[in-house]
């Protein structure tokens, strides 16, 4: 084991390398490219024994990944944003094949307007595809969870592909100290993929992923997939326990930070949650009882864990780095649906949307979100959803709009 | 926690600077986070990188709002507001500028309360050594913290540049050692910043976005040629100059390669470089078949112009 400063992208590549991925169909896209560049370099140097193939698009890349995984080969691939959406048809398809592999998604906001920076609308668009989804908050988690994701995907009770999400820039291009486990330790944790009866070889079975006529067989296969996804919760908990025993780091479907005696809880996903930890620590110093609940696994959704973690809390502040047009924050919808009808649910669940397209969330904003929730829990009135956007930011956009409409002026002022 | 920001231009090695400093802190036993911000991702464009170092795990992320040290590798960036050099500079922030001008000049210009230091360049760098500026800045910054040894800096340079040729690495180690030594008088001037207090917090000034008319609220640009108003010429640290005695007047070559369309065909068929928009990428210098375009440091070119105007 070594402890090194590496980026989230390098941590993802290390995950694939230590998992001994055999086959890597790839297609570049910012901010993911460093992952495949790193693996390509290792492959060229001969330190990683794998077959890497540059595909002509993400659509083909995901098809190739699913097809190879169906033959019992261990597959890794990675994408981001527009690329993930371009491969969307095949996301649903290969999950339906029950082909297990791991794909990194380096979160980046979606066009239009086009951006390179991070938010979660890309990955959330894949929410219902049948891929399981794990969201990381640190570079260490990216490496660890990639290894755990293989065990999860390949488990016979699950047998589904898994997306490991890391935020663009905030993790992808950020170096942090990461423990890189030794190959032997990883081999003991993650043995070679044994596909069992579900393998596809030339002519065996004769047809893979057949068409069905009629709703009953279709419903059967779809629901089997849903049951497998549900089963992944318990399987992941067991994998997490084994990982902790071997490596001393705990990763589960939910992370609780100073939650036990908290009255107000931030609820969010991804790397911005470490910012929330900083805010929690500062507020605790000032005697404010706040905590953080981080959703690490979005699919399957850990409803029971969430309910028990929030039992008796006075308010939950949901911070969404995404936006469903005409509805609002997606996590807010997810959590309220999980809490509705639960007797001990917190009475106040508020909605905040921030961090779109990499827009930072300041510590003062976390402080204010907590203050709003405190007031709401006293009055019992839930405030309307709030976009985190300051008057300075609005002034800046007004300036840009003035430039964009400059044709009204006679001449461009240099 | 130490919070340090590097500002420079694409090609000056700011990412390398943040990594050398980050690794040096790491060697000294600190928890570290370093990152670079890509914007235009083009040579000459303003870019920045940053380093956080602390004795416990770091939870903060993203751009550093309240830096303890700001290192400026290219002094022409200071007045460019989009570069954000001055952002969050407080009375305790140390500003280190790689500049030919004096500390006194900068103090008068910027009117800052905090200490301003100038990093004089003792080893003159060749134009091809532009990327070494990053190494120089990293070593100077390390010295200013007072808690990083020269040995750690040298090791960090070797580690971060391991992929380069031995000669290049040695030259960088030499440059780093020189910069470290030149800052010795100020060792320890940069102090660790504290945390943001919840007790004395400022409330963010959030606004409710109005639902604007579609004419305003779609991401479209109606004004023509707005890019003309953006003087990318300010990005230039090297200036291309055409030697007409060697030039073959084949401007379709240099003119086609210029990524900013800054080369036009002039009256006698010689290339005419639009210095308001030439960003100094030196692609034309590399492409010109008879080597008729030379590169001279922008600062020298400006000085020559001033002299010309005076005489
Ligand atoms: S490519 Fe060189 S020789 Fe040709 S026109 Fe340009 S400067 Fe002159
Ligand atoms: S004129 Fe030359 S140096 Fe200037 S932008 Fe064009 S190619 Fe680059």
């Amino acid at each position: 084991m070594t402890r090194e400063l590496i980026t989230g992208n390098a941590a993802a590549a290390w995950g694939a390398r230590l998992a001994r991925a055999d086959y890597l169909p790839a297609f570049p896209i910012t901010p993911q490219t460093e992952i495949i560049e790193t693996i390509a370099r290792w492959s060229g140097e001969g330190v990683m024994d794998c077959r890497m193939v540059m595909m002509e698009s993400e659509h083909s890349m995901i098809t190739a990944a699913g097809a190879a995984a169906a033959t019992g080969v261990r597959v890794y691939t990675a994408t981001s944003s527009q690329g993930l959406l371009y491969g969307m048809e095949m996301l649903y398809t290969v999950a339906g094949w029950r082909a297990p592999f791991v794909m990194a998604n380096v979160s980046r906001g979606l066009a239009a307007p086009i951006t390179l920076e991070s938010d979660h609308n890309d990955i959330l668009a894949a929410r219902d595809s049948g891929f399981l989804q794990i969201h990381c908050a640190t570079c260490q988690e990216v490496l660890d969870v990639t290894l755990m994701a293989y065990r999860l995907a390949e488990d016979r009770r699950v047998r589904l592909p898994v997306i490991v999400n890391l935020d663009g820039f905030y993790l992808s291009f950020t170096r942090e100290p990461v423990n890189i486990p030794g190959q032997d330790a990883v081999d003991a944790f993650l043995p070679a993929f044994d596909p069992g009866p579900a393998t596809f070889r030339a002519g065996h079975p004769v047809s893979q992923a057949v068409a069905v006529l009629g709703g009953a067989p279709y419903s059967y296969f779809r629901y089997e997939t849903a049951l497998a996804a549900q089963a992944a919760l318990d399987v992941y908990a067991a994998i997490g326990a084994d990982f902790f025993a071997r490596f001393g780091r705990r990763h589960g479907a939910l992370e609780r930070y100073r939650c036990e005696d908290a009255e107000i809880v931030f609820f969010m996903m991804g790397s911005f949650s470490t910012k929330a930890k900083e805010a929690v620590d500062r507020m605790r110093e000032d005697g404010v009882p706040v905590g953080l609940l981080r959703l690490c696994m979005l699919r399957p959704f850990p409803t029971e864990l969430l309910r028990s973690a929030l039992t008796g809390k006075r308010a939950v502040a949901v911070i969404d780095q995404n936006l469903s047009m005409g509805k609002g924050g997606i996590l807010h919808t997810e959590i309220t649906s999980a809490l509705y009808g639960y007797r001990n649910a917190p009475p106040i669940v508020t909605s905040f949307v921030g961090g779109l397209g990499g827009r930072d969330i300041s510590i003062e904003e976390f402080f204010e979100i907590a203050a709003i929730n405190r007031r709401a829990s006293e009055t019992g009135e839930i405030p309307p959803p709030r976009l985190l956007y300051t008057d300075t930011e609005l002034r800046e956009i007004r300036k840009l709009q003035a430039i964009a409409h400059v044709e009204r002026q006679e001449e461009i002022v240099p | 926690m130490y919070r340090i920001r590097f500002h420079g231009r694409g090609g000056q090695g700011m990412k390398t600077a943040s990594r050398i400093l980050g690794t040096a802190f790491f060697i000294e036993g600190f928890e570290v986070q370093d990152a670079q911000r890509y914007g235009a991702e083009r040579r000459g464009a303003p870019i920045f990188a940053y380093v956080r170092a602390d004795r416990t795990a770091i939870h903060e992320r993203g751009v550093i709002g309240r830096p303890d040290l700001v290192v400026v590798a290219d002094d022409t960036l200071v007045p460019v507001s989009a570069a954000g050099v001055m952002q969050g500079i407080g009375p305790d922030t140390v500003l280190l500028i790689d500049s030919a001008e004096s500390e006194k000049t900068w103090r008068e210009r910027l009117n800052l309360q905090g200490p301003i230091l100038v990093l004089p360049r003792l080893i003159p760098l060749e134009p091809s050594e532009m990327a070494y500026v990053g190494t120089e800045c990293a070593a100077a910054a390390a010295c200013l913290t007072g808690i990083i040894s020269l040995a750690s800096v040298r090791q960090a340079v070797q580690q971060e540049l391991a992929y380069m040729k031995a000669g290049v690495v040695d030259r960088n180690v030499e440059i780093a050692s020189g910069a470290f030594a030149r800052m010795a008088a100020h060792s320890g001037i940069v102090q660790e910043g504290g945390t943001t207090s919840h007790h004395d917090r400022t409330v963010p000034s959030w606004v409710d976005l109005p639902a604007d008319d579609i004419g305003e609220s779609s991401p479209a640009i109606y004004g023509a040629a707005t890019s003309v108003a953006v003087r990318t010429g300010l990005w230039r640290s090297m200036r291309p100059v055409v030697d007409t005695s060697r030039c073959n007047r084949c401007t379709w070559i240099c003119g086609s390669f210029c990524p900013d369309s800054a080369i036009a065909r002039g009256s006698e068929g010689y290339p005419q470089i639009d210095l308001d928009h030439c960003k100094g990428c030196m692609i034309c210098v590399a492409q010109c078949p008879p080597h008729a375009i030379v590169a001279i440091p922008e600062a020298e070119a400006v000085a020559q112009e001033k002299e010309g105007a005076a005489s």
Side-chain angles (χ1 to χ4, degrees), chain A residues 175-176 364-365 391 398 404, chain B residues 34 61 66 205-206 212 223:
Chain A
R175 294 199 314 175
E176 293 176 342
E364 289 85 359
E365 291 185 313
D391 57 0
R398 291 300 185 223
Chain B
D34 62 52
R61 281 191 186 283
R66 297 180 192 87
S205 55
W206 289 329
D212 286 336

Side-chain angles (χ1 to χ4, degrees), chain B residues 242 246-255 263 269-271 284 287-293:
Chain B
V242 179
R246 300 186 74 113
C247 174
N248 295 337
R249 300 191 235 188
C250 48
T251 52
W252 62 89
I253 297 179
C254 53
I263 302 180
Y270 290 111
C284 57
Q287 294 300 335
C288 169
H291 312 295
I293 313 182

Side-chain angles (χ1 to χ4, degrees), chain A residues 134 141 144-145 148-149 152 158 231-241 251-254 296-297:
Chain A
I134 310 175
E141 197 179 358
D144 293 352
V145 158
M148 292 171 63
L152 183 66
V158 178
L233 271 178
D234 287 345
V235 175
Y236 195 59
I239 295 167
H251 303 290
L254 268 185
C296 311
M297 185 174 246

Side-chain angles (χ1 to χ4, degrees), chain A residues 268-269 295 298 318-320 322 329-335:
Chain A
M268 56 198 297
M269 294 196 299
L295 187 66
L298 178 80
V318 184
I319 302 173
D320 268 291
N322 64 76
I330 294 170
L331 276 191
H332 182 258
T333 311
E334 294 265 318
I335 190 178

